[in-house]
Amino acid sequence: MAEDRYFPSIRRLAEYEVWCNARTFEAAGALDPPQLLQRFPFGFGTIHRTLFHNLMVFRWWSACVGPEIFKPSPDPDYDPNSPLENMASLNDELSLAFMESIDRSRAAGLLNRDRRIEQVFHLVTHGTHHRTQFITMLRLLGKDPPFEAGDFGGWSNVK
């Protein structure tokens, strides 16, 4: 079955997504609060809002990967005062659930059905796009990024 042949690569891409998101929140956590809300003319305008958007997309589409596909409750409205720590905690919960969903779908022979694999790929490409914006915002703030944007090849050589 093609799913089994490609599963190691699919899972590695998911691991990369989870790793990058965790490093992103760590890097954002080292910023001063005004830097999280500094306006930029791209992305969702601020680091905080860009991370919130990426997190909400991760929340929504990762729910379409497990054996039971479901639609989460509507996304909460964006709140610039929402603590970054809360967002990072939600990211940790979603990341664990995402990886477990991939494994459970594979075990049930469902990963290749109902667009589950496509959702995994969507999350990786979508996340990479917005993390690149985040990295650009960091550089404009004079900060070094926690990783190179979209560098799956470099990551996979050391993992």
Side-chain angles (χ1 to χ4, degrees):
M1 173 182 266
E3 176 183 326
D4 287 335
R5 180 177 31 189
Y6 295 113
F7 180 73
S9 296
I10 293 165
R11 194 162 198 302
R12 298 266 295 154
L13 280 169
E15 289 170 358
Y16 172 72
E17 177 68 11
V18 165
W19 180 86
C20 286
N21 286 342
R23 299 299 82 69
T24 298
F25 277 104
E26 286 174 11
L31 298 174
D32 295 326
Q35 292 174 315
L36 291 172
L37 299 173
Q38 181 171 325
R39 301 283 308 152
F40 295 95
F42 57 89
F44 282 80
T46 69
I47 287 174
H48 191 270
R49 190 169 192 148
T50 300
L51 296 183
F52 175 81
H53 166 76
N54 207 38
L55 184 62
M56 292 301 101
V57 169
F58 189 53
R59 177 181 167 267
W60 186 265
W61 291 109
S62 64
C64 299
V65 175
E68 307 83 23
I69 293 175
F70 65 95
K71 293 187 178 187
S73 59
D75 290 341
D77 290 333
Y78 173 69
D79 178 2
N81 297 311
S82 177
L84 188 66
E85 297 82 19
N86 293 359
M87 291 167 46
S89 179
L90 178 58
N91 178 68
D92 291 345
E93 291 172 28
L94 293 172
S95 295
L96 180 61
F98 177 56
M99 297 308 296
E100 289 174 351
S101 292
I102 290 170
D103 292 341
R104 287 182 20 245
S105 285
R106 179 186 183 222
L110 297 171
L111 190 58
N112 65 335
R113 300 183 70 192
D114 300 317
R115 301 188 65 226
R116 286 174 178 87
I117 291 173
E118 287 88 347
Q119 303 310 339
V120 173
F121 292 161
H122 169 69
L123 287 168
V124 173
T125 58
H126 177 268
T128 298
H129 168 70
H130 289 298
R131 284 188 303 271
T132 300
Q133 293 172 337
F134 167 72
I135 286 171
T136 302
M137 291 174 186
L138 282 180
R139 289 185 190 278
L140 290 171
L141 290 171
K143 306 289 182 182
D144 289 329
F147 51 84
E148 285 300 317
D151 188 19
F152 175 77
W155 172 85
S156 64
N157 285 330
V158 297
K159 288 290 178 185

